[in-house]
């Protein structure tokens, strides 16, 4: 195995952190496989990175946007070339099966080409003036230096959702990956370097909460984009509010799948297996609540139990693995504590609930796919994010009740409804409180060119992906051109009485 890329990357130079502390990164499926020791960066490293980003902003920010797009296209080409080797290392580091990490890289490729194209479409408005011989328009300007702080579960897709539009719009970046996916972050940045991205345009600072805090609080960072836990996101929001920074938060979910009596149950089963147990349930979009009509409840739960218990659990870089480990011991502890809570609350443990055992599973963080039935809407396992392979099943007897239950949470990221009735589907699109609603598909599966984000406790109103993310990464400048040759006051100063 080639040596891991364990250094920071600042101003085009791979370098150690200024203090010597490091943290260890291990394979969650094979804990004896140590990926490397990564720098525990501090205030000084972050400061160096921000300075480099600020310096690079002077040229990057004023370059014609389509020229920036050319860099993104080259990055997309290199990601395509290295898709398999990158995916292998991502699976090794964060556990999801190889076919899923390849999908993760593909999302980055799509985002690269999409953002490259958007550099030719960073539209402003031209608007009629109140005055004769006056021209009004708005243009987009980059914001400056953006801090990008990401989670480990999509170690390439999510950072690139943030960085590619940031770069397309003319910003420069300081990127702090999750301490559970530092190597994937470094391999991604290496691709930027190899694609010829100028020094300082993207800087990589490894580390944990200290490095993240230093980045958020740095006076020369203009905007922060974060994906991760609600607790951390709230703290970032408080700091950014105090420091007058723009910030985009993408946090928890407790995503419902509503299944009505007329649903195509074969389709539902496929959707549930993917939505609830894909990525071992560790997506912020994972299907974590099944809200199912009483008429089809028993049939659905029985088939689901059968299919979920047959999922092949193992190391994701082995061919037939369908479900990998969870990320670390802390995740095991948290998920196990929720399984205990579910039992105490009186839900029925219908499947799983234990560490998964068997050949090849001795040295990793493996859990069984777990299903709770007889869950009522106010139980903690029905409302709190578990971030693991645990599905809570709630029985309902009408569409109206289903929507009420679906909305009975503090989060609002993704949602799904399975029904054959088109009117009901259209009602649900409006009535489910979530940033995303899938009709006859599971709660996961965002496409790169569509807005992504949540309402209520999930976010703070911004969207990633699609065209809307460019609203976040640009400042609007309003321009008035008066070619009348005389002082024309605005209408408010001209109207008599
Ligand atoms: C996340 O879990 O943070 O739609 C993002 C999906 C993925 C993105 C998930 N494309 O599930």
């Amino acid at each position: 195995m080639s040596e891991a890329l364990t250094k920071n990357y600042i101003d085009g130079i791979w370098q150690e952190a200024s203090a010597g502390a490091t943290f260890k990164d291990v394979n969650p499926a094979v804990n004896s496989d140590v990926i490397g020791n990564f720098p525990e960066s501090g205030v000084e490293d972050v400061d160096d990175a921000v300075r480099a980003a600020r310096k690079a902003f002077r040229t990057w920010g004023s370059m014609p946007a389509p020229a920036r797009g050319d860099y993104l296209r080259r990055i997309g080409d290199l990601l395509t070339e290295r898709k398999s080797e990158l995916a292998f290392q991502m699976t090794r580091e964060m556990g999801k099966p190889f076919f899923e990490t390849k999908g993760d890289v593909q999302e980055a490729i799509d985002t690269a080409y999409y953002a490259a194209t958007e550099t030719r479409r960073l539209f402003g408005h031209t608007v009629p003036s109140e005055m004769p011989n006056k021209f009004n328009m708005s243009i987009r300007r980059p914001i400056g230096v953006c801090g990008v702080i990401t989670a480990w579960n999509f170690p390439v897709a999510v950072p690139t959702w943030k960085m590619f539009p940031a770069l397309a719009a003319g910003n420069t970046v300081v990127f702090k990956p999750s301490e559970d996916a530092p190597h994937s972050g470094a391999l991604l940045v290496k691709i930027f370097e190899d694609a010829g991205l100028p020094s300082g345009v993207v800087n990589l600072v490894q580390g944990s909460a200290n490095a993240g805090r230093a980045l958020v609080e740095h006076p020369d960072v203009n905007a922060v984009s974060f994906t991760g836990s609600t607790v951390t996101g709230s703290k970032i929001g408080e700091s950014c509010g105090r420091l007058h920074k723009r910030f985009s938060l993408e946090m928890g979910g407790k995503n419902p799948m509503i299944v009505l009596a007329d649903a195509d149950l074969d389709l539902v089963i496929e959707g549930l297996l993917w939505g609830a147990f894909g990525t071992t349930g560790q997506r912020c979009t994972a299907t974590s609540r099944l809200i199912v009509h009483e008429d089809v409840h028993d049939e659905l739960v029985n088939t689901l139990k059968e299919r979920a218990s047959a999922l092949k659990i193992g190391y994701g870089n082995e061919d037939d693995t369908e479900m990998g480990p969870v990320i670390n011991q802390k995740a095991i502890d948290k998920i196990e504590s929720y399984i205990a809570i579910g039992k105490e609350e009186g839900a029925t443990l219908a499947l799983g609930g234990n560490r998964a055992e068997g050949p090849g599973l001795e040295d990793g963080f493996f859990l069984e796919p777990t299903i709770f039935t007889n869950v009522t809407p106010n139980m903690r396992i029905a409302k709190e994010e578990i971030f693991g392979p645990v599905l809570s099943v709630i029985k309902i007897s009408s569409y109206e009740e289903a929507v009420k239950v679906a909305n009975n949470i503090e989060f609002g990221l993704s949602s799904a409804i399975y029904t054959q009735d088109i009117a009901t589907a259209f009602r649900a699109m409006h009535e489910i409180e979530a940033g995303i609603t899938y009709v006859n598909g599971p709660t996961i599966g965002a496409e790169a060119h569509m807005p992504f984000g949540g309402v209520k406790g999930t976010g703070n109103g911004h969207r990633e992906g699609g065209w809307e993310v460019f609203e976040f990464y640009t400042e609007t400048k309003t321009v008035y051109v008066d070619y009348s040759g005389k002082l024309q006051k605005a209408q408010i100063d001209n109207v008599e009485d």
Side-chain angles (χ1 to χ4, degrees), residues 282-350:
Q282 302 169 107
R283 292 196 192 202
C284 51
T285 50
T287 306
S288 47
R289 292 181 298 155
L290 169 63
I291 301 172
V292 55
H293 196 277
E294 57 194 359
D295 289 355
V296 290
H297 174 278
D298 293 357
E299 184 188 343
L300 189 59
V301 168
N302 287 337
T303 319
L304 181 65
K305 274 165 59 178
E306 209 180 289
R307 291 286 304 277
S309 57
L311 286 171
K312 173 86 176 62
I313 303 172
Y315 179 27
N317 276 328
E318 270 156 24
D319 270 353
D320 48 353
T321 297
E322 292 173 298
M323 192 175 101
V326 298
I327 188 67
N328 55 28
Q329 184 59 45
K330 239 170 87 186
I332 292 268
D333 294 345
K334 178 178 173 193
I335 297 162
E336 284 183 336
S337 83
Y338 271 105
I339 292 169
I341 289 167
K343 289 183 197 161
E344 271 162 38
E345 287 180 311
T348 307
L349 183 60

Side-chain angles (χ1 to χ4, degrees), residues 107 153-154 158 161 227 282-285 438 443-446 452:
E107 200 158 327
N153 63 336
F154 275 81
V158 167
W161 275 7
T227 295
Q282 302 169 107
R283 292 196 192 202
C284 51
T285 50
Y438 290 88
T443 55
I444 67 181
F452 178 95

Side-chain angles (χ1 to χ4, degrees), residues 3 25 43 50 58 60 62-63 76 103 120 168 170 181 199 211-212 286 301 312 324 331 339 359 363 365 395 412 478:
E3 191 99 336
D25 180 32
V43 176
V50 174
R58 284 187 219 123
W60 184 255
S62 52
M63 185 185 289
R120 293 181 183 270
S199 301
V301 168
K312 173 86 176 62
I339 292 169
D363 192 25
F365 303 118
K395 202 191 283 183
T478 305

Side-chain angles (χ1 to χ4, degrees), residues 291-456:
I291 301 172
V292 55
H293 196 277
E294 57 194 359
D295 289 355
V296 290
H297 174 278
D298 293 357
E299 184 188 343
L300 189 59
V301 168
N302 287 337
T303 319
L304 181 65
K305 274 165 59 178
E306 209 180 289
R307 291 286 304 277
S309 57
L311 286 171
K312 173 86 176 62
I313 303 172
Y315 179 27
N317 276 328
E318 270 156 24
D319 270 353
D320 48 353
T321 297
E322 292 173 298
M323 192 175 101
V326 298
I327 188 67
N328 55 28
Q329 184 59 45
K330 239 170 87 186
I332 292 268
D333 294 345
K334 178 178 173 193
I335 297 162
E336 284 183 336
S337 83
Y338 271 105
I339 292 169
I341 289 167
K343 289 183 197 161
E344 271 162 38
E345 287 180 311
T348 307
L349 183 60
L351 184 75
N354 301 306
R355 296 288 290 257
E357 284 168 5
L361 305 182
E362 307 81 359
D363 192 25
F365 303 118
F366 293 102
L367 283 171
E368 294 174 337
T370 297
I371 300 173
F372 275 106
T373 52
N374 291 318
V375 176
T376 54
N378 285 323
M379 288 182 181
R380 289 183 61 192
I381 59 163
K383 299 182 84 165
E384 296 174 20
E385 186 178 48
I386 301 175
F387 220 66
V390 182
L391 179 70
S392 298
V393 184
I394 304 168
K395 202 191 283 183
I396 44 89
S397 52
S398 67
Y399 163 80
E400 285 73 18
E401 187 188 355
V403 170
K404 208 166 142 216
V405 171
N407 292 342
N408 184 43
I409 46 162
E410 66 168 291
F411 301 112
L413 182 53
S414 190
S415 57
I417 182 161
Y418 281 75
T419 176
Q420 316 263 13
D421 183 70
I422 194 160
T424 308
F426 269 86
R427 274 184 72 187
M429 289 173 214
H430 292 282
E431 291 173 2
I432 298 176
E433 294 167 358
I436 306 166
T437 295
Y438 290 88
V439 176
N440 294 331
T443 55
I444 67 181
E447 297 183 23
H449 59 298
M450 294 293 285
F452 178 95
V455 301
K456 303 195 326 198

Side-chain angles (χ1 to χ4, degrees), residues 200-249:
V201 172
V202 172
N203 304 276
L204 170 75
V205 177
Q206 301 285 9
S208 48
N210 273 342
R213 196 173 310 114
L215 186 55
V216 170
E217 303 258 327
H218 196 292
D220 213 20
V221 169
N222 306 95
V224 175
S225 181
F226 168 78
T227 295
S229 75
T230 305
V231 175
T232 307
S234 303
K235 284 188 199 147
I236 291 176
E238 278 171 27
S239 301
C240 288
R242 182 165 37 82
L243 297 165
H244 311 298
K245 295 185 184 195
R246 186 178 294 205
F247 60 100
S248 170
L249 304 175

